[in-house]
Amino acid sequence: MAELEFGLNSFGDVATDGGRVLSDAETLRLMVEEAQLAESVGLDVFSVGEHYREDMVDSATPVVLGAAAQATSTIRLGTSVTVLSTQDPVRLYQQFSTVDGISGGRAQLVLGRASAIESFPLFGYDIAEYEDIFDEKLDLFLRLMREDRVTWSGRYRSPLESVRLRPRMPEGGIPAWIGIGGSPDSVIRAARHGLPLMMAIIGGKPERFAGHAELYLRALAQFGQPELPIGQHSLGLIAETDDEAKTEHWEYWQPVVTALSQERGFYPPTAERYAQEVATGALYVGSPETVAQKLAAIVRTNHLSRFDLKYDVRHLPVKARERSIRLFGEQVAPRVRELIAEDPGDWRLTGRHTAQIVSARAKTAQ
């Protein structure tokens, strides 16, 4: 498979420094500095999310990436999610063709339907049309990237007649991944369109997504597509020791997840559940060796060619963020590559029967 890549994801979580909460402007400048740091420690990708929540400042992602493009020279710059459903595909094309031009061809995106839905009422969209909006806008965005001139009509924006946008992206567009949170239909959608798959795994045992990865690879074959990369996005923090990492991460992660549990109706975090999540779940928290061993195992199981670490948590100190980035790039990533070289495992399909693809859905042959 392609060389294993490592990236960082920021959701623009507001940081602290010496106990002082940084302003929004300071946090934005910090993100640009962290993109520079990521490049200096050898990481492959720096990505920024898109959210419209308190304590997150990533609502204008292309602007942040444009600033990061001027501050860096080699690291690829993208989105950890672009909420395509509430974006105008025409404007999105123009924004990212601009970022790509400024950065010298380093721009990319992860396109998603949104797990947080604040953008729907903010921009006047009906959440009841969640699926239809995404499908239509994905079709238009891909046509804009893949065709020189586009004539198009749909339900959710005005029609286009022989439109050729400027500035131009390279022929075929820029790398665009489909982000999924667990829906098999989303896996099939990515394969049908010939797009790489990014699996957002933020809780529970990450091995449960192995079936999604295998479904994706089988679907690519059925649709006549070449094998494409599979990535994983998860949360974590790296420190010199396991205890230091777990103690610090729990302090800042616990209040965030407690608030989300009240908002979304799932169980509140406990110290016991947190320890289990770190040990066998989707939190990559610990010393460099601990995190590297855990990452190498999931790379093999989930057929990964890319892993992105969401390193920022609301009010996490600047120094802890910096330390985590440095250890991830300088120690964890090289160690994982070393472990995979020693024991690559099975990054290919298991021996399961080929899936039968019908339209946008998959029925697995028994």
Side-chain angles (χ1 to χ4, degrees), residues 252-264:
Y252 297 97
W253 179 88
Q254 186 269 341
V256 171
V257 179
T258 296
L260 283 175
S261 71
Q262 295 167 353
E263 176 186 313
R264 301 186 183 184

Side-chain angles (χ1 to χ4, degrees), residues 49 52 84 86 123 133 261 276 299 325 354:
Y52 303 88
L84 181 58
T86 54
F123 296 115
I133 293 172
S261 71
Q276 182 178 18
V299 163
I325 294 169
T354 302

Side-chain angles (χ1 to χ4, degrees), residues 82-93:
T82 291
V83 185
L84 181 58
S85 302
T86 54
Q87 293 273 1
D88 177 5
V90 171
R91 196 71 183 119
L92 189 67
Y93 176 100

